[in-house]
Amino acid sequence: MASAASFASLPLPELYARVRHHVPAMEWPVFARDIEAILTLKRQHNAVILAHNYQTPEIFHTVADIVGDSLALAREAVNTDADVIVLAGVHFMAETAKLLNPDKTVLIPDAEAGCSLAESITAEDVRRLRSRYPGVPVVTYINTSAAVKAESDICCTSGNAKKVIESLGVDRVIMLPDEFLAQNTATQVLGIEIITWAGHCEVHERFTPEDIRAVRESYPDVVVLAHPEAPPEVVAGADYAGSTAGMADFVGEKRPARVALVTECSMSDNVAALYPEVEFVRPCNLCPHMKRITLPKIRRALERRQHEVTIDPAVAERARLAVERMLAVR
Ligand code: 13P
Ligand code: SF4
C-alpha cells in the first residue's frame, strides 16, 4: 500500500496519501497551496472547519477538523471552543451551528449553498398547517431555514427521526418538509400517523427502483445502502437505509466486498478513501449546493471572514429551542 514516503517529492505528502485516489499527483501542488494557507489561517483565527460527508475528498480528508452527518455536525458545533466556525456544507447547516453558538462567528464559504428541501417550505406554510391540524406537534427536518425551525416543536435528522417521533408520545405528528423521509420513517413508527409535506431532496428523489435492479444485475453480490431521503420504493430495494454517518459506519463495521451507496457521489469517495479493500459501485448523484464549497472559497472565507451567518435574535431563540429539544433526545 502507498505511504506518505511514496509521495515525498510532493508538498504535504501525508495529506496527499489520503486523497491519492481522487486527486492526480500533477494537480496536487495547486490544492496543496490552498490547504497550506487554510491550515495557517485556522491557527491564526482559532477557527475550526466542520465538513459534511458530502464534501469533496480534498476538503473532507485534509482541512476538516470535524466531519459527519447533519446530527454529528450539530452536536460538535456545541462542543467546540474555537472562536470561528467555518461550515463546509450548506446554509441550513451553518445556520444550525450559529443557533447553537450565538456568540461565535460562523462562516459559510459560499452564501448560495442552499438545499431544495429548505427551499420547499416557509414559516407561513408551517403556521397554516398548525391551524389546519390544531394540537398536532410539528417535527421539522434539520434541512430547513431557522424561520421554519422557529415554528416547530422539535427538529430531527435522518439519523434520529424515529427516536424523535417516538419521544413525543403521541399518535399523530406533522413531519416537514421531506415527504420521502417522512414516509420511510412511518414504516418504523407503526401506530403513529405522520402528516407529510411535498418537499424533496433534488439529489435523492432522482433514484429509482430500476437503478437498484440494474446495479444488482451487474453485481449480484453488491450490498446496497440508501439514504432515507430517497423514495420509499428505492429504500425498499436496499439492504440498509440510514443517514450518511449510518452508511459510513455500516461499511466500516461490515466491510462488504462490494457496496453501492445510493446517495451523493462524494460520500462514496470519502468512505472509499478509508477502506481501499471495499469496491464502491455507483449509482450516485451530485448535489450542486454541496459542490459550491471549494478549497479556494474556504481560504477566502477565512481571509475575509465571509460570509458571516446572522439570524434575527427573535427567530433564533425559538429555532434554538427546537434544535436543543432534538439534541436532548438520546
Ligand atoms: P445526513 O448527513 O444527516 O444523513 O443528511 C444528508 C443530507 O442530505 C444533508 O444535506
Ligand atoms: Fe439538500 Fe439534498 Fe443537497 Fe442534502 S443532498 S443539501 S438534502 S439538496
Side-chain angles (χ1 to χ4, degrees):
M1 192 177 130
S3 68
S6 336
F7 310 114
S9 61
L10 294 174
L12 305 175
E14 309 79 19
L15 294 185
Y16 184 66
R18 297 184 195 171
V19 296
R20 65 190 184 280
H21 297 303
H22 300 284
V23 180
M26 237 171 65
E27 291 174 22
W28 177 247
V30 176
F31 286 90
R33 272 199 291 280
D34 282 326
I35 292 167
E36 261 174 333
I38 291 167
L39 298 178
T40 306
L41 285 158
K42 278 204 295 185
R43 281 192 297 275
Q44 286 169 352
H45 294 273
N46 187 24
V48 72
I49 298 181
L50 270 56
H52 185 260
N53 289 329
Y54 292 163
Q55 292 297 292
T56 49
E58 71 275 11
I59 294 172
F60 188 92
H61 286 293
T62 68
V63 296
D65 299 285
I66 290 156
V67 295
D69 63 358
S70 313
L71 183 58
L73 296 184
R75 286 202 194 287
E76 293 299 331
V78 183
N79 293 333
T80 180
D81 55 9
D83 297 318
V84 177
I85 297 173
V86 179
L87 204 305
V90 293
H91 195 263
F92 75 81
M93 295 176 177
E95 262 192 351
T96 305
K98 181 67 182 177
L99 286 175
L100 297 167
N101 293 280
D103 300 328
K104 292 191 198 298
T105 301
V106 177
L107 305 174
I108 178 139
D110 187 322
E112 303 293 309
C115 169
S116 65
L117 280 167
E119 287 302 311
S120 73
I121 190 158
T122 65
E124 182 51 33
D125 292 328
V126 187
R127 286 193 287 271
R128 266 199 296 268
L129 275 165
R130 272 201 191 278
S131 55
R132 191 163 157 208
Y133 300 101
V136 180
V138 175
V139 178
T140 290
Y141 196 25
I142 201 156
N143 297 37
T144 46
S145 66
V148 165
K149 289 183 177 78
E151 299 297 330
S152 313
D153 294 288
I154 189 165
C155 288
C156 75
T157 73
S158 59
N160 64 10
K162 176 178 186 286
K163 271 193 192 158
V164 165
I165 289 177
E166 287 174 345
S167 77
L168 298 173
V170 294
D171 56 14
R172 202 180 192 208
V173 301
I174 300 169
M175 188 175 180
L176 308 169
D178 187 342
E179 184 177 27
F180 297 149
L181 176 67
Q183 290 170 343
N184 287 320
T185 308
T187 65
Q188 303 170 351
V189 292
L190 301 176
I192 303 177
E193 185 196 347
I194 298 189
I195 298 160
T196 63
W197 181 258
H200 298 137
C201 161
E202 67 186 85
V203 174
H204 292 93
E205 72 174 346
R206 295 190 348 244
F207 293 114
T208 65
E210 183 44 45
D211 292 329
I212 311 267
R213 266 195 297 278
V215 81
R216 287 201 193 279
E217 215 170 278
S218 307
Y219 306 100
D221 64 338
V222 73
V223 175
V224 179
L225 314 186
H227 195 278
E229 288 171 7
E233 56 277 22
V234 171
V235 166
D239 298 297
Y240 166 87
S243 79
T244 55
M247 287 192 257
D249 290 348
F250 185 104
V251 176
E253 281 159 25
K254 305 257 195 292
R255 305 288 172 100
R258 198 175 263 153
V259 71
L261 303 187
V262 182
T263 188
E264 214 274 346
C265 301
S266 291
M267 176 78 203
S268 295
D269 297 339
N270 290 329
V271 182
L274 299 176
Y275 309 112
E277 75 280 15
V278 178
E279 187 190 341
F280 287 75
V281 295
R282 310 299 157 135
C284 70
N285 292 327
L286 283 167
C287 173
H289 312 289
M290 289 282 180
K291 299 296 86 115
R292 280 181 171 275
I293 309 299
T294 61
L295 284 172
K297 286 186 193 170
I298 294 175
R299 179 177 177 173
R300 265 199 302 281
L302 282 163
E303 283 169 347
R304 301 180 192 172
R305 286 174 93 86
Q306 69 181 26
H307 303 272
E308 187 166 354
V309 177
T310 55
I311 308 169
D312 173 342
V315 170
E317 200 177 319
R318 292 187 297 137
R320 186 177 310 119
L321 270 181
V323 177
E324 285 176 347
R325 280 194 200 113
M326 170 189 84
L327 293 179
V329 174
R330 291 286 172 169

